[in-house]
Amino acid sequence: MKLSKVGDLVLLQSDPWKQSIFQLSEGTEIQTHKGTIRHDDLIGKAWGSIVSSHLGSDFLLLQPSLRDILLHLPRQSQIIFPKDLGYILLRLSIGLGSRVVEAGTGSGALTTAMAWYVGEKGHVHTYDRREDMVNLARKNLTRFGLEDRVTIHHQDLSEGLKQTDLDAAFLDLPMPEEYLGILRNSLSNGAIFGAILPTTNQVSQLLPALKQHGFDSIEIAEILLRFYKPEAQRLRPVDRMVAHTGYLIFARAIVR
C-alpha cells in the first residue's frame, strides 16, 4: 500500500470542483473553506483515504495527476488546455528519452507536461523572450521536481538554436512561419513539428511556409471537449463545454 510522506505533492478534494494541491511538510496546516487540516495528520496516510478538517468536513486525499497539476499551475498567461496537451504529446511522439524544443514558454504548462514524459534521459529546451515568463516557468518546474529535465533559454527564437538532431518541436507563437528555417536546421529528418494558433488566417499563413521550408504530411485539428453530469438517473451534458481554444497544426520534416 502506498502511503503519503513528507515532500509529496498531495491533492485534497472536497468535491470535484474544490481542490487544493500542496507539498506535505511537518508542523504545517492548510486552511480551507471547510476548516483546517494539519499536514501531520496527512503524512503516512494511504492515498485514497478520507480525512477530516477540524470542523468535521471530509476530504479525499489523492496524488495529483498531471492534469490536476497543470490546471492548478500558477500562471500569468493563458495555458494550453489539457484537452489539447494530450493530443500534442501524442502527435509529437514524446516519450522516454525524447529531445524536444519549445518556443513560447509562457507559464510552463506544456513545458511541464513534456518534462514529465521525456523522463530522466530526455530533455526539453524551451525559449521565451519575456523574463517574467522565464522566472515563473522555472518556479513551476522546480515546484514539481522537473527542473533538471528542462533548459530554459531567455531569448527570442529568432536568435537561433544551438541544439541539433531534435526529435520534435512545438511553437506557441503568433507567427510560427517566421522561425521554420531555424527550426528545420535543428530537427532530425522525419522529426515532428507542431504549433497552436487561435485563428484561421494565421493557419493559412503557416501552411505555404511549411512546404517552403521542408515540411510535409501536414495535419490541422481542433479538439472540443464536453463533460457529462455523473448522475445515473439524470445523465446529461453539463451546461458548459471546453470548445475552441486553438487550431493544432502538425507536420513532418522531410529530406528535400
Side-chain angles (χ1 to χ4, degrees):
M1 179 183 297
K2 291 186 177 181
L3 305 178
S4 62
K5 61 183 184 299
V6 172
D8 281 347
L9 278 178
V10 303
L11 182 150
L12 275 185
Q13 178 175 294
S14 58
D15 62 61
W17 313 114
K18 296 289 186 180
Q19 300 176 335
S20 299
I21 295 179
F22 54 92
Q23 192 172 40
L24 282 180
S25 59
E26 294 177 323
T28 308
E29 295 180 339
I30 178 171
Q31 308 287 336
T32 79
H33 64 297
K34 292 185 177 181
T36 301
I37 300 174
R38 299 192 313 149
H39 285 214
D40 291 343
D41 293 336
L42 304 178
I43 296 169
K45 286 279 189 181
W47 297 114
S49 297
I50 302 294
V51 297
S52 298
S53 71
H54 82 289
L55 296 177
S57 299
D58 288 339
F59 291 78
L60 187 59
L61 176 68
L62 299 169
Q63 282 183 300
S65 67
L66 178 59
R67 175 183 178 275
D68 296 325
I69 288 172
L70 296 180
L71 287 176
H72 288 81
L73 199 76
R75 67 191 71 169
Q76 292 180 5
S77 61
Q78 178 62 59
I79 65 169
I80 297 178
F81 278 73
K83 73 177 181 68
D84 298 314
L85 277 170
Y87 192 66
I88 289 169
L89 295 169
L90 178 68
R91 285 294 284 110
L92 295 181
S93 195
I94 293 178
L96 297 177
S98 294
R99 298 177 64 247
V100 190
V101 65
E102 171 204 27
T105 311
S107 300
L110 180 58
T111 318
T112 300
M114 287 178 170
W116 181 290
Y117 281 103
V118 300
E120 295 180 356
K121 294 184 178 180
H123 204 77
V124 180
H125 291 272
T126 185
Y127 289 76
D128 203 297
R129 64 184 181 183
R130 288 180 54 179
E131 185 176 4
D132 58 336
M133 292 301 180
V134 166
N135 292 336
L136 178 58
R138 184 174 287 113
K139 288 180 181 178
N140 284 332
L141 288 164
T142 301
R143 181 187 181 199
F144 304 125
L146 297 171
E147 66 275 13
D148 292 341
R149 303 180 186 183
V150 180
T151 299
I152 301 178
H153 303 268
H154 179 204
Q155 69 176 70
D156 194 288
L157 191 61
S158 62
E159 298 175 25
L161 292 173
K162 295 181 180 179
Q163 299 77 42
T164 57
D165 293 323
L166 295 168
D167 301 307
F170 193 85
L171 301 184
D172 186 4
L173 301 171
M175 293 180 285
E177 63 274 6
E178 294 185 356
Y179 309 97
L180 293 179
I182 293 172
L183 273 184
R184 182 61 190 90
N185 292 330
S186 293
L187 292 173
S188 60
N189 292 328
I192 307 170
F193 165 85
I196 185 168
L197 291 167
T199 65
T200 54
N201 61 301
Q202 289 171 295
V203 177
S204 295
Q205 291 175 346
L206 175 60
L207 292 178
L210 283 169
K211 292 282 189 177
Q212 179 184 349
H213 288 283
F215 292 90
D216 211 324
S217 297
I218 300 171
E219 173 191 279
I220 307 167
E222 179 186 18
I223 298 174
L224 310 178
L225 178 63
R226 183 167 71 174
F227 288 98
Y228 284 72
K229 294 185 177 181
E231 301 174 15
Q233 303 306 317
R234 297 193 303 122
L235 183 62
R236 60 177 290 272
V238 297
D239 298 327
R240 293 184 176 184
M241 68 176 292
V242 186
H244 176 76
T245 49
Y247 299 103
L248 300 175
I249 305 94
F250 298 97
R252 301 295 290 261
I254 62 170
V255 178
R256 289 179 290 182

